[in-house]
Structure formats: C-alpha cells, structure tokens
Amino acid sequence: MLPAVTGFQDYGRRAIQAARHIGQGFAVTLDHPNRLPMTIQYPYEKLIPSERFRGRIHFEFDKCIACEVCVRVCPINLPVIDWKLVKNIRKKQLKSYSIDFGVCIFCGNCVEYCPTNRLSMTEEYELSTHDRHELNYDQMALGRLPLSVSRDSAIQTVSNLSYLSGGVVEGHPSRRNVTYGTNGSSIRYKY
C-alpha cells in the first residue's frame, strides 16, 4: 500500500505544477488586453534603425584600390569588380564595381574587411522593385547617399520601442481611442 500512497502524492505534485503553469499562461494572455497597440503606420511612420543596422551598402569609387578583398570575404562572391593594371605606375585602376542586392545577404563582411574603409552600411532598407534587374547597383548607384529616415520631413519617425521593467511595452504615443466593429470581434484603432 505504500507505493500507492507515493504514487498518489507524485500525481498530486504534478497536477499542482501543471495548474501553476496553466495559470502563468493565462496571466500572460490576460495581460495583453491591458497593453497599448504597437502598430506603426508604415508608409507614414518609420522606425529609426539602430546604430549598427545593416542596410544598403554605400561605396566610394574614387578611393577604392581594387584589392578584391570584398569579393574574397563575401560568402557568395557577390561584388563584381572590373579593373585594369596601369603598367607605368604598377597599380590596379578600378573600372567598374557593382553589387546585386537581389542576391546580397547583407552580412557586412565586405564592409568589415575593406582595408581602405570605402564600403559602409547605410540605414536604407526600402529596396523593393517590380523588376529584379533594378537591384543590380553599379558604382554610381552605390555612391549615392540615401536620405536618412530621421531627416525625412515627409514622414514621422518613431524612436526604438522602449520596454518597461515589467515586460510591458509602451504603446504608440499618438493613440487616440479604440472602437470595436459592428459584430464585436474586430478592433479598429483610430489615430
């Protein structure tokens, strides 16, 4: 009869532990209606990327020494470099440089290992087009500096989302009110 009692005690302990875990799950679920929405109205509002954000690559054509380190460290051998050897000064002269952002994985190896620091990552992330051939950037397009998100006057920037100590996320500052749909199930947020 002793094994039956210990088995019953073990079953009781596991049942209490399971109820505790279910209660913790319900607490998380019931906490969400108390939070403010975190919706960003994308075309009109944009998040400011972090300092080390890996966006489109910027290239300085005039200062490149055509060493091809960026091609060697790229996991997919992506940058296409065309150069010619100038015999009288015994140096390479860069003729063209291009990167296809439709294939690029934005790992940042080319930027990190460039010995002359002529490559840099920008905060530009809107590279979508209707034709994938438009994603092949030559040295002219790579040399163009993008408009910073924080300096664009046409959009409202939202700084990084701040987290409170209790794990509750602050809502959008311009939130006005919440209205429920006619059937009571859908929610619309008015700003």
Side-chain angles (χ1 to χ4, degrees):
M1 186 155 135
L2 189 60
V5 172
T6 57
F8 185 68
Q9 289 175 344
D10 187 41
Y11 174 76
R13 253 187 266 119
R14 285 188 285 158
I16 290 171
Q17 186 180 15
R20 187 176 301 136
H21 289 302
I22 291 172
Q24 289 173 350
F26 276 130
V28 170
T29 303
L30 294 175
D31 183 46
H32 279 276
N34 297 332
R35 296 182 185 186
L36 297 174
M38 295 305 305
T39 306
I40 303 296
Q41 302 298 323
Y42 168 66
Y44 310 108
E45 298 174 350
K46 294 181 184 176
L47 287 175
I48 298 173
S50 63
E51 182 181 335
R52 295 186 50 89
F53 179 76
R54 290 187 255 173
R56 182 183 65 83
I57 296 171
H58 173 69
F59 174 68
E60 296 179 32
F61 182 78
D62 299 336
K63 299 175 183 176
C64 180
I65 59 174
C67 63
E68 297 186 32
V69 170
C70 54
V71 177
R72 286 190 291 254
V73 299
C74 182
I76 52 178
N77 297 328
L78 186 61
V80 177
I81 297 177
D82 188 20
W83 54 270
K84 68 177 179 179
L85 183 64
V86 180
K87 296 192 189 253
N88 58 356
I89 58 173
R90 293 185 179 158
K91 287 190 177 180
K92 294 181 192 176
Q93 183 180 13
L94 187 66
K95 289 169 49 178
S96 68
Y97 188 92
S98 66
I99 295 177
D100 186 3
F101 286 113
V103 182
C104 182
I105 59 173
F106 298 95
C107 64
N109 286 345
C110 57
V111 174
E112 186 175 340
Y113 291 105
C114 181
T116 56
N117 292 329
R118 300 307 159 220
L119 295 170
S120 61
M121 293 289 208
T122 64
E123 60 183 27
E124 183 179 3
Y125 54 88
E126 297 172 318
L127 300 174
S128 61
T129 63
H130 291 289
D131 184 17
R132 67 178 176 190
H133 300 292
E134 293 177 11
L135 293 172
N136 193 2
Y137 282 42
D138 61 350
Q139 67 262 17
M140 296 302 286
L142 287 169
R144 175 184 54 83
L145 281 172
L147 182 62
S148 175
V149 173
S150 58
R151 293 188 208 127
D152 192 355
S153 62
I155 58 170
Q156 177 184 359
T157 58
V158 178
S159 60
N160 291 337
L161 304 175
S162 58
Y163 292 91
L164 298 176
S165 60
V168 178
V169 182
E170 289 183 6
H172 195 274
S174 65
R175 179 180 175 265
R176 299 289 185 255
N177 60 1
V178 178
T179 59
Y180 292 92
T182 56
N183 61 1
S185 62
S186 63
I187 299 175
R188 282 178 289 165
Y189 298 99
K190 291 186 179 179
Y191 293 94

